[in-house]
Amino acid sequence: MTDDDSLTQRIATALATNPQRVQRLDHAGQTIWIKRRETPGLLLRLQKGNPDAAFKAERHALHEWHRMRAPAPKILAEGTDFLALADSGRPLNALLSDPQITTADRIEAFHAAGRALAALHARQISHGRPSLKDICWDGQKITFLDLERYAARRNTPQGHAMDLVMFVFNALVVGRGMTPELNAAIQTYRANDPDNIWGLARAWCHKMRWIDWITKPVQLRRGGKAKEFKAIPLTLAVFANG
Ligand SMILES: Nc1ncnc2c1ncn2[C@@H]1O[C@H](COP(=O)(O)OP(=O)(O)O)[C@@H](O)[C@H]1O
Ligand SMILES: [Mg+2]
């Protein structure tokens, strides 16, 4: 049996025995992530839109990113129902809350993320929704995951600005406010900003400031979604003051 055969076998077993949509597998000393296509039942479709279309979009986007030499995880194997991806390290949200990691290492990862996002935009590519959990750091390199929201039509300065707003917004949600890590990412992004994307993001936030007012009652609620609503005025302030 070749290495490829045994990998295919492992993947088939993993898909048959573990129902999770994304699962981690250790194979021949290597960590592998398997993402499966979900069969869209009616309930799932109502809750999450069409997961089948999302899977196809992501598979297509991964190939496009590889063609453009953009930093997406390497595809180790694929079928109509699954993708097996090389490990890209740990997502930024995990690094942010890990007390084992030194502040200096966390800041280094966020500097790298700011640089990687600016480099992506300099090449006129938008991610679509760069949340912290979809940006991985392996100690040397940033890799963007989860390309379900990637669309070539968003590869515009406006699309880059939306990436930047979403990144900042999500980091404020996860960090429950401004953190030295997010600040590091913003500084590096701005130092490498390819085309005054910051200015565009700022203008968009200025235009959207009414959102803060209409969501005020929800922001004052406790727990749950309130965390996200509370990050709205913080996001607007980051771009207004920057
Ligand atoms: N190639 C990879 N390298 C490292 N972690 C991964 C990889 N693929 C998935 N993961 C982990 O699994 C999580 C979910 O994968 P993701 O592709 O974002 O799927 P989902 O659509 O469920 O968000 C990620 O946030 C990350 O923690
Ligand atoms: Mg994800």
Side-chain angles (χ1 to χ4, degrees):
M1 200 151 78
T2 67
D3 276 0
D4 274 4
D5 286 345
S6 81
L7 176 60
T8 311
Q9 201 57 56
R10 282 294 304 276
I11 292 169
T13 310
L15 288 170
T17 55
N18 182 343
Q20 280 179 331
R21 199 169 72 81
V22 180
Q23 55 177 302
R24 198 192 133 126
L25 196 73
D26 288 309
H27 177 75
Q30 199 186 7
T31 299
I32 291 165
W33 292 85
I34 305 176
K35 228 175 151 169
R36 77 163 80 227
R37 181 178 68 112
E38 285 173 304
T39 322
L42 179 61
L43 184 62
L44 199 63
R45 234 167 23 223
L46 292 173
Q47 287 169 336
K48 295 212 288 189
N50 187 345
D52 188 30
F55 177 84
K56 284 192 188 127
E58 169 151 43
R59 208 175 137 198
H60 180 79
L62 269 171
H63 283 285
E64 200 170 321
W65 275 47
H66 288 145
R67 265 198 304 279
M68 300 185 291
R69 300 194 178 284
K74 196 171 162 218
I75 303 176
L76 300 174
E78 64 183 306
T80 46
D81 295 343
F82 77 91
L83 283 162
L85 305 172
D87 184 48
S88 308
R90 295 185 69 201
L92 295 186
N93 64 321
L95 298 183
L96 197 58
S97 60
D98 186 345
Q100 309 278 1
I101 298 176
T102 65
T103 308
D105 284 348
R106 277 203 302 272
I107 296 221
E108 189 193 349
F110 276 74
H111 270 307
R115 203 175 310 116
L117 192 61
L120 197 66
H121 295 165
R123 301 178 53 203
Q124 292 164 23
I125 303 169
S126 300
H127 175 276
R129 193 189 48 205
S131 300
L132 296 196
K133 65 181 169 37
D134 297 321
I135 304 175
C136 279
W137 171 244
D138 66 2
Q140 318 221 308
K141 187 178 182 302
I142 290 286
T143 304
F144 293 93
L145 306 180
D146 207 352
L147 305 181
E148 273 166 30
R149 293 257 311 175
Y150 170 81
R153 68 170 188 283
R154 281 195 275 267
N155 290 341
T156 59
Q158 195 58 42
H160 309 334
M162 293 320 302
D163 268 5
L164 188 55
V165 173
M166 290 204 203
F167 172 79
V168 169
F169 172 71
N170 182 258
L172 289 168
V173 173
V174 176
R176 294 174 184 269
M178 183 49 85
T179 51
E181 290 84 357
L182 173 58
N183 194 42
I186 289 175
Q187 294 317 320
T188 312
Y189 184 91
R190 294 192 69 180
N192 295 278
D193 188 335
D195 192 17
N196 194 22
I197 302 304
W198 181 270
L200 268 182
R202 184 194 171 109
W204 187 85
C205 285
H206 185 72
K207 212 170 62 198
M208 298 305 278
R209 66 198 183 282
W210 55 271
I211 280 198
D212 186 27
W213 291 101
I214 63 160
T215 55
K216 268 284 179 276
V218 199
Q219 291 175 31
L220 298 172
R221 257 191 242 155
R222 283 164 204 251
K225 283 273 164 210
K227 211 169 66 174
E228 299 197 345
F229 285 109
K230 284 192 176 116
I232 294 174
L234 302 178
T235 306
L236 299 181
V238 164
F239 288 98
N241 301 330

